[in-house]
């Protein structure tokens, strides 16, 4: 079984749900407590053994590339001031040489098209897809859990979780067959998938939440994939076709997902990650603010 060494991170989306914050800052560089969302997601990928990150970017997103590169002026000034603590922190965010590639998705044609843009860099090996809007707080990390499942069953594996009541139609939804051995019954063979099913006709309430292991055969299918839901080339539609010839499993991963592409989701992620801060000061601040707050209505 081939190891999972590369991950595709589609980051080109406009971030319409978090405008105006995402107007000039790429949405995945918005902050979650002490670091940008992408920093948390790259850390999750590295912990899962990812050696090469392929970012699918849009115009105006060069700040992502810069974030993982040296900031000479800043580093020189920190060095001159003897701020080695901050210098270590800033340098801790650097890419290692050759670890990252940036590919322009020149038109917003959909998630399937974004993943297809990585085909030459991925080549003929299974790979991961990480949707960085979805910040997954888990130990071990969500991608590590999906890769563990892949090691057990091979083929293709996606992380899933229950959609909030009444919201399943907003996502890619899976239909499941028998549970695979182990994984506390959380790993199951998939029997179907549908992108944004009609409300009331969803095959289950389990949605594809943003971590995938896929076989490279997906690229040929994506190349010929017709537009689907929302007029976009959908990854899920190509996965449905791959399922005809290749195994697919869904893992209900253990952890909490925050949809950072949404104002409230981003706020929840900030609070959750702040609460985890070891010194506990955040709890006191939040308690104080809630007690002092009076609803103006
Ligand atoms: C995409 C995928 C969908 C998945 C969702 C998770 O949809 O197409 O299958 O459930 O991400 O956030 P989008 O959010 O781009 O509409």
């Amino acid at each position: 079984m081939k190891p999972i060494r590369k991950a595709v991170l589609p980051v080109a989306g406009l971030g319409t749900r978090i405008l105006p914050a995402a107007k000039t800052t790429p949405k995945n560089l918005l902050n979650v407590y002490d670091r940008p969302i992408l920093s948390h997601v790259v850390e999750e990928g590295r912990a899962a053994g990812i050696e090469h990150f392929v970012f699918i970017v849009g115009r105006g997103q060069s700040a992502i590339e810069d974030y993982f590169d040296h900031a000479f002026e800043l580093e020189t000034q920190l060095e001159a001031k003897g701020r080695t603590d901050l210098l270590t922190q800033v340098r801790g965010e650097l890419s290692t040489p050759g670890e990252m590639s940036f590919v322009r998705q020149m038109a917003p044609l959909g998630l399937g098209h974004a993943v297809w843009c990585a085909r030459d860099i991925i080549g003929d090996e299974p790979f991961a897809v990480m949707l960085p809007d979805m910040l997954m707080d888990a130990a071990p990390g969500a991608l590590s859990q999906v890769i563990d499942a892949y090691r057990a069953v091979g083929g293709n594996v996606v992380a899933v979780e229950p959609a909030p009541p009444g919201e399943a139609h907003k996502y890619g939804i899976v239909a499941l067959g028998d549970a695979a051995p182990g994984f506390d019954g959380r790993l199951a063979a998939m029997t179907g998938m549908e992108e944004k099913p009609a409300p009331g006709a969803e095959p289950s309430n389990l949605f594809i939440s943003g971590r995938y292991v896929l076989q490279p055969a997906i690229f040929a299918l994506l190349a010929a994939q017709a537009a689907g839901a929302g007029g976009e080339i959908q990854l899920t539609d190509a996965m449905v076709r791959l399922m005809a010839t290749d195994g697919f499993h869904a893992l209900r991963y253990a952890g909490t997902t925050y949809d950072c592409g949404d104002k409230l989701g981003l706020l929840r992620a900030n609070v959750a990650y702040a609460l985890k801060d070891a010194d506990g000061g955040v709890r006191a601040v939040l308690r104080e603010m809630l007690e002092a707050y009076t609803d103006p209505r």
Side-chain angles (χ1 to χ4, degrees):
M1 187 178 292
K2 287 187 180 171
I4 306 301
R5 302 186 312 116
K6 300 177 186 172
V8 179
L9 283 73
V11 293
L14 294 177
T16 46
R17 289 179 295 154
I18 38 175
L19 283 172
K23 183 184 167 191
T24 51
T25 302
K27 61 176 173 170
N28 297 132
L29 284 186
L30 293 175
N31 207 53
V32 167
Y33 187 42
D34 56 354
R35 291 181 285 144
I37 299 164
L38 265 183
S39 170
H40 295 282
V41 176
V42 165
E43 181 181 87
E44 178 196 331
R46 285 177 177 149
I50 298 301
E51 297 166 9
H52 193 142
F53 294 88
V54 186
F55 293 89
I56 311 300
V57 295
R59 276 182 294 284
Q61 293 192 322
S62 51
I64 295 176
E65 209 164 337
D66 291 342
Y67 183 80
F68 293 102
D69 194 0
H70 284 287
F72 279 109
E73 200 174 353
L74 174 67
E75 291 175 38
T76 308
Q77 285 185 25
L78 291 175
E79 209 151 25
K81 288 182 199 293
R83 296 301 308 268
T84 41
D85 51 336
L86 291 178
L87 201 54
T88 309
Q89 210 174 53
V90 166
R91 288 193 175 146
E93 297 294 281
L94 292 175
S95 147
T96 59
E99 186 196 19
M100 294 182 176
S101 298
F102 298 84
V103 178
R104 280 282 179 98
Q105 185 186 19
M106 294 164 72
L109 299 179
L111 178 60
H113 177 261
V115 171
W116 179 74
C117 288
R119 65 199 179 284
D120 278 349
I121 298 176
I122 300 297
D124 190 27
E125 57 182 275
F127 63 101
V129 175
M130 306 177 83
L131 304 186
D133 282 5
M134 303 304 247
L135 188 56
M136 296 186 174
D137 187 13
L143 186 61
S144 296
Q145 294 182 37
V146 170
I147 290 177
D148 269 357
Y150 160 76
R151 287 201 192 104
V153 293
N156 306 266
V157 182
V158 296
V160 297
E161 63 189 272
E167 297 200 1
H169 64 281
K170 295 183 180 169
Y171 297 101
I173 300 292
V174 300
L176 299 185
D178 296 336
F183 296 89
D184 304 322
R186 290 182 291 104
L187 181 64
M190 275 167 56
T191 54
M193 248 179 288
E194 196 177 341
E195 185 65 26
K196 309 213 170 35
E202 300 94 344
S204 77
N205 73 333
L206 292 174
F207 78 98
I208 299 169
S209 54
R211 301 294 181 269
Y212 311 61
V213 164
L214 295 172
Q215 295 297 320
I218 196 79
F219 291 122
L221 297 170
L222 283 171
Q225 185 61 52
E232 296 188 344
I233 297 170
Q234 296 289 353
L235 180 59
T236 308
D237 292 346
M239 295 199 300
V240 168
R241 288 163 60 222
L242 183 56
M243 206 165 61
T245 55
D246 209 353
F248 263 89
H249 283 78
L251 176 73
R252 266 176 289 149
Y253 93 101
T256 308
T257 301
Y258 300 96
D259 182 356
C260 294
D262 174 85
K263 279 175 195 168
L264 214 48
L266 185 58
L267 176 65
R268 282 167 65 98
N270 269 285
V271 174
Y273 278 67
L275 285 172
K276 287 201 299 181
D277 197 325
D279 75 12
V282 174
R283 250 156 282 166
V285 168
L286 289 178
R287 213 173 293 128
E288 209 176 278
M289 288 178 74
L290 276 174
E291 277 163 16
Y293 183 75
T294 38
D295 196 330
R297 284 168 302 169

